[in-house]
Amino acid sequence: MGFAVVDAALERGWKVDLISGPVTLEVKHGVRQTFVETADEMFAACLDIFTSCDFILMAAAVCDHKPALVAKRKLKKGEISSFLELEQTPDILAELGRRKASGQKLVGFAAETNDCLVNGERKLLEKNLDWIVVNDVSLPEGGFASDLNKVTLLGRNGEVVPIDIAPKLEVARILLERIDS
Ligand code: C5P
């Protein structure tokens, strides 16, 4: 959805900064793009530009955990534990929610498989968001690796806006129209 949001933002004449992981998708001319590979890099890149943004839309599926140890050289078979120790990555969205200034609009995305609206609403409140885009990724229509999507927007003032299945660009247009009204 992130790249569809970029296209819809350009249509509205917005100045767009895109922070993304490695992708094969092409970005339109005029977008300032920062490539990152880890959650920590994405966190740093977001903090760099956050205060200059009016709208922040966080569509990346950021890993919640990372390996606790990263070897600097190839490890021998006998040196590797059978258990992979993990630690949490920074919750970028929650941190931006804590730092948000009045006038900034922060939008999160929630990819859910069960109790979607309940889980989405909890994240909206816990992370101090203005809107959250709830995506039931267990549905066959739309979601990852598809040009279509079917989502529900939840707003901090109790708004519930179901968007029926549509091309991602159309979903992104409706989303931006709604958060900018
Ligand atoms: O809790 P969950 O991972 O479903 O939250 C999804 C939202 O949080 C998305 O907007 C995603 O970009 C953001 N996120 C984040 N930092 C993380 C994990 C997710 O900002 N470490």
Side-chain angles (χ1 to χ4, degrees):
M1 272 301 297
F3 281 68
V5 168
V6 167
D7 286 344
L10 291 171
E11 282 180 0
R12 297 176 79 79
W14 291 5
K15 225 169 82 189
V16 179
D17 282 280
L18 172 66
I19 300 169
S20 95
V23 282
T24 51
L25 296 166
E26 249 179 59
V27 175
K28 291 232 167 77
H29 188 67
V31 173
R32 283 185 298 183
Q33 187 162 7
T34 306
F35 284 109
V36 295
E37 288 193 348
T38 66
D40 289 307
E41 287 171 8
M42 181 166 278
F43 190 32
C46 287
L47 292 185
D48 266 356
I49 61 165
F50 176 63
T51 53
S52 65
C53 298
D54 299 314
F55 294 92
I56 303 100
L57 295 106
M58 300 284 290
V62 187
C63 254
D64 288 321
H65 295 87
K66 62 182 177 182
L69 291 173
V70 178
K72 292 204 168 41
R73 59 169 176 81
K74 183 182 174 193
L75 297 177
K76 298 284 175 214
K77 214 177 284 176
E79 295 178 298
I80 302 173
S81 155
S82 328
F83 297 97
L84 183 60
E85 201 184 323
L86 298 175
E87 60 186 41
Q88 282 196 340
T89 54
D91 188 327
I92 306 166
L93 188 58
E95 183 55 34
L96 299 186
R98 283 189 280 276
R99 295 178 182 221
K100 191 175 60 168
S102 67
Q104 281 185 309
K105 293 268 167 61
L106 183 58
V107 183
F109 284 69
E112 304 289 341
T113 55
N114 56 288
D115 304 315
C116 301
L117 295 184
V118 173
N119 288 330
E121 191 182 6
R122 184 176 43 77
K123 286 177 188 169
L124 172 79
L125 301 174
E126 279 177 5
K127 301 188 190 204
N128 192 27
L129 310 179
D130 297 283
W131 290 91
I132 193 156
V133 182
V134 183
N135 197 175
D136 182 347
V137 289
S138 70
L139 296 174
E141 67 269 51
F144 296 121
S146 164
D147 291 333
L148 303 173
N149 211 352
K150 180 173 186 280
V151 303
T152 303
L153 313 182
L154 301 180
R156 68 181 293 127
N157 297 319
E159 303 94 328
V160 180
V161 185
I163 303 179
D164 207 355
I165 187 147
K168 284 182 175 173
L169 178 58
E170 189 52 32
V171 173
R173 285 178 180 142
I174 297 168
L175 166 63
L176 297 193
E177 180 67 40
R178 195 72 200 204
I179 66 173
D180 193 19
S181 61

